[in-house]
Amino acid sequence: MTAIAPSLLQELASRLEWAGAKTFGAVGQTLGQTVTPAKDLRFGDYQCNGPLTLAKTLGQKPREVATALLAALDVADFCEAPTIDGPGFLNFRLKPDFLAQRLQTMQRGDRLGIPPVPHPQKIILDFSSPNIAKEMHVGHLRSTILGDCLARVLSFWGHEVLRLNHVGDWGTQFGMLITHLQTTHPAALDQADALALGDLVALYRAAKARFDEDAAFREASRLAVVDLQSGEPMARLAWQLLCEQSRREFQKIYDGLGVHLTERGESFYNPYLKAVVQDLAALGLLQEDQGAQCVFLEGFLNKEGQPLPLIVQKSDGGYNYATTDLAAVRYRVTQDRAQRLIYVTDAGQADHFAAVFQVAQRAGWLPPTVEAVHVPFGLVLGEDGKKFRTRSGDTVSLQSLLDEAIARAAADWQSRNPGQPVPEEVVRTMAMGAIKYADLSQNRTSNYVFSYDKMLSLQGNTAPYLLYAYVRVQGIGRKGDLDFAQLADGLFTFADETEITLAKHLVQLPEVLMAVASDLYPNRLCQYLFELSQKFNQFYDRLPVLAAPEPERASRLGLCDLTAKVLRQGLELLGISVLEKM
């Protein structure tokens, strides 16, 4: 028998596929897709309902299909004899001795027994993407945290991940701001840091108001964009100063969150925009509509049932987001040689990316061999259930949100440790971890309520609860004067059901990480780690560890050590640091 894959779900699916094909031909191969973790562990660890569906296709009874399948299926090296339940469900239970061997494999390796994928991909992950001359806000928090987590998980599997920050650093907004600053704060156009970023934000709003109301200002702004695009020295200097100032402020936030990005803003693709329009025209995809150059989309209809257009060149000859995104797709496929493109933005941009991907595919710039995925996320809500805003109704700046989280974490720590000096690094780790976990633990497509109190709680599905489980293991080491790293590899033995439950959860880590890399939902990993913490606490509260006789003592210490290693690795993939003490 060949070596068993780290993902037991994948291994079981592969063997069911083989047995199904051997017994029923090609139609039986689908059985591999029907195995799942068991919902009720009383019946086993994995289950398969494939015989019920296959029986309809074959015109046989489900139990007959299940019986024939088991006759060809060999899982004796890691499972007890499978059983048939009800009309034709298959149940699989892992062998205790196999569990013990798998735990040893996880304990010995620096990757918890999980090898990298055999065929790594070049993946471009586009996330965060704030706009120059604007403060980052809570929407950027979601994109930044989700994108960073996905990049970490994909990199863990061995993929080459390019983390791109597609900042808004080009276009009408700059012409508008530069024109406004010429009359209000001209020093800001040729002197570094003449204004604070907060002042720039207020001035941007004022410029936008003038742009909307004043035709002359609008025309002057358009001419300023022309100057910028043509490389006029003073326009370029003003643009560079504004970008550098914003970039430094953004970096403070990224440093605080422990997020690393490669900036490649909209301006990067400016030289390629003209060719996008020309080549779409040469392919016969462009049509003129009210003076604009458009590609009419398939499957996108207006109220009258007519195809909707994707505008790639405006009636005044200018370009827009769609043009830039098409140029980016083309560059990332042809120049970066990416095999998978992932865009992490709010759900409101779903139609935009669906349209861009369709046009890129029709143009041949996004071939079938390259996967393009939009990863949408919902809104951040206040505790009143409305969009999260300041009391004055403004969007909450990301820096103020992070500062408030640190202040709240410090107050929380002080309340539990009265009279003690507040450890700044511990508090910062708690605050950043709490914010990240509160976001990542949600289904990303849903809106979620932002609550400092809930995210800093030691109870429930929170970062502090997980960190406390990790700290608890470190406390065992200190109490027993142990160095877990120096513990000899011992055999795992299971004398109690809580040990087996914990062991079975530990060995599910590879399939959880595989699911996150595939469907891009980090909350799967959060839920796994939360349940791991629960199962560890149940095990630790029920059974003695340091006071247990051998060989139970060594085995239980091994379970504690492995739980801590999995928690550390899992939290690291979420972008959260662990603490040795709390």
Side-chain angles (χ1 to χ4, degrees):
M1 184 64 65
T2 58
I4 300 170
S7 170
L8 301 180
L9 185 67
Q10 186 183 46
E11 180 69 27
L12 194 51
S14 176
R15 297 201 189 183
L16 279 165
E17 182 179 310
W18 183 88
K22 179 182 178 182
T23 308
F24 305 109
V27 70
Q29 289 183 310
T30 58
L31 285 166
Q33 303 167 20
T34 60
V35 60
T36 61
K39 295 180 180 178
D40 190 337
L41 297 181
R42 292 177 301 173
F43 299 105
D45 303 309
Y46 297 92
Q47 63 185 30
C48 172
N49 64 359
L52 280 74
T53 304
L54 187 57
K56 294 179 182 179
T57 304
L58 297 172
Q60 299 179 23
K61 294 180 180 180
R63 287 189 74 90
E64 292 176 353
V65 172
T67 301
L69 179 66
L70 290 185
L73 181 65
D74 182 8
V75 291
D77 49 336
F78 68 106
C79 287
E80 306 283 3
T83 60
I84 303 173
D85 186 53
F89 293 98
L90 297 178
N91 295 320
F92 302 90
R93 191 181 301 275
L94 298 174
K95 287 182 173 180
D97 59 346
F98 169 79
L99 270 177
Q101 294 168 9
R102 179 51 57 96
L103 293 178
Q104 281 189 307
T105 300
M106 293 178 68
Q107 193 176 46
R108 291 169 181 163
D110 58 354
R111 291 177 51 85
L112 296 168
I114 306 175
V117 293
H119 304 292
Q121 291 181 308
K122 173 69 176 290
I123 299 174
I124 289 182
L125 220 158
D126 182 324
F127 66 102
S128 194
S129 307
N131 289 317
I132 296 296
K134 294 184 182 180
E135 289 183 301
M136 292 176 71
H137 55 74
V138 291
H140 297 116
L141 172 70
R142 296 215 74 181
S143 178
T144 303
I145 290 175
L146 284 164
D148 178 61
C149 174
L150 295 176
R152 289 169 182 266
V153 171
L154 292 166
S155 296
F156 175 82
W157 280 114
H159 298 295
E160 181 185 350
V161 181
L162 177 55
R163 302 151 154 256
L164 286 186
N165 197 6
H166 188 84
V167 297
D169 65 348
W170 202 246
T172 304
Q173 66 193 55
F174 280 95
M176 194 170 65
L177 183 58
I178 289 172
T179 303
H180 185 63
L181 291 175
Q182 285 172 345
T183 56
T184 58
H185 296 81
L189 300 177
D190 57 14
Q191 297 176 29
D193 299 325
L195 293 167
L197 183 60
D199 295 332
L200 275 179
V201 172
L203 288 164
Y204 177 87
R205 290 175 184 161
K208 180 67 168 63
R210 288 182 67 184
F211 185 87
D212 292 339
E213 298 166 3
D214 186 340
F217 181 83
R218 206 158 39 241
E219 177 60 17
S221 299
R222 189 188 68 79
L223 294 174
V225 173
V226 173
D227 286 343
L228 181 58
Q229 292 176 337
S230 63
E232 194 278 323
M234 294 305 294
R236 280 298 176 112
L237 174 61
W239 172 72
Q240 289 170 351
L241 291 173
L242 293 171
C243 287
E244 282 297 328
Q245 184 173 2
S246 292
R247 192 175 288 120
R248 287 196 299 273
E249 295 301 317
F250 296 160
Q251 194 58 49
K252 291 178 185 177
I253 291 175
Y254 294 138
D255 289 344
L257 290 171
V259 173
H260 305 285
L261 285 150
T262 297
E263 184 180 313
R264 191 190 285 175
E266 293 174 0
S267 61
F268 177 88
Y269 302 100
N270 190 57
Y272 308 102
L273 302 184
K274 185 177 181 180
V276 165
V277 178
Q278 290 177 337
D279 293 348
L280 288 173
L283 290 166
L285 293 173
L286 275 192
Q287 296 182 48
E288 184 174 319
D289 185 55
Q290 300 180 43
Q293 297 299 314
C294 313
V295 178
F296 281 88
L297 302 166
E298 299 171 352
F300 288 77
L301 305 177
N302 60 21
K303 293 179 180 179
E304 290 72 38
Q306 301 298 315
L308 285 172
L310 181 70
I311 300 173
V312 295
Q313 187 171 29
K314 296 181 287 188
S315 58
D316 63 3
Y319 306 111
N320 58 16
Y321 291 129
T323 329
T324 301
D325 283 331
L326 284 168
V329 168
R330 193 182 195 182
Y331 188 94
R332 292 168 183 182
V333 173
T334 60
Q335 302 301 311
D336 292 321
R337 302 293 181 185
Q339 297 160 284
R340 192 178 186 192
L341 307 177
I342 302 173
Y343 296 76
V344 185
T345 74
D346 65 89
Q349 296 189 49
D351 286 347
H352 167 77
F353 281 107
V356 167
F357 296 160
Q358 182 191 122
V359 172
Q361 288 165 347
R362 289 165 63 186
W365 304 338
L366 189 57
T369 53
V370 178
E371 180 187 18
V373 185
H374 176 227
V375 177
F377 55 81
L379 297 173
V380 180
L381 305 177
E383 295 193 67
D384 59 359
K386 298 179 181 178
K387 198 169 182 178
F388 194 48
R389 295 186 182 276
T390 63
R391 289 182 179 178
S392 62
D394 295 330
T395 301
V396 178
S397 77
L398 186 46
Q399 187 61 63
S400 66
L401 181 146
L402 299 180
D403 291 343
E404 177 71 10
I406 293 171
R408 297 258 190 147
D412 178 76
W413 192 93
Q414 192 76 74
S415 69
R416 289 184 284 106
N417 301 273
Q420 298 295 316
V422 177
E424 291 186 11
E425 191 57 36
V426 170
V427 164
R428 175 174 288 277
T429 299
M430 289 282 286
M432 296 303 101
I435 282 179
K436 289 183 178 185
Y437 191 84
D439 195 309
L440 293 170
S441 61
Q442 310 296 320
N443 182 315
R444 58 172 167 77
T445 60
S446 303
N447 301 336
Y448 83 97
V449 174
F450 188 95
S451 167
Y452 290 107
D453 292 336
K454 288 182 180 178
M455 68 175 59
L456 290 169
S457 173
L458 285 171
Q459 302 298 321
N461 191 6
T462 65
Y465 180 77
L466 271 61
L467 290 171
Y468 181 68
Y470 178 85
V471 166
R472 210 171 184 186
V473 176
Q474 307 316 306
I476 294 169
R478 289 190 293 271
K479 184 177 180 180
D481 195 24
L482 299 169
D483 180 358
F484 283 109
Q486 299 302 317
L487 288 177
D489 287 336
L491 291 176
F492 287 89
T493 60
F494 308 118
D496 188 272
E497 191 61 35
T498 56
E499 294 171 296
I500 296 176
T501 300
L502 178 58
K504 287 180 176 179
H505 196 76
L506 285 166
V507 301
Q508 289 176 5
L509 176 64
E511 56 205 49
V512 172
L513 295 182
M514 190 175 294
V516 176
S518 175
D519 64 25
L520 309 176
Y521 280 91
N523 62 298
R524 289 180 180 270
L525 176 56
C526 294
Q527 188 63 31
Y528 169 83
L529 295 175
F530 174 54
E531 291 176 4
L532 173 61
S533 300
Q534 287 181 312
K535 288 174 170 57
F536 170 74
N537 286 330
Q538 290 163 1
F539 150 79
Y540 184 71
D541 291 341
R542 177 166 172 167
L543 301 173
V545 176
L546 291 172
E550 297 293 358
E552 286 86 354
R553 181 180 186 273
S555 177
R556 290 171 187 172
L557 284 171
L559 281 172
C560 292
D561 179 38
L562 193 49
T563 296
K565 287 179 177 178
V566 171
L567 282 171
R568 177 191 282 272
Q569 179 65 78
L571 288 167
E572 180 183 314
L573 294 176
L574 296 176
I576 298 173
S577 301
V578 296
L579 295 168
E580 301 303 310
K581 293 182 179 181
M582 286 176 67

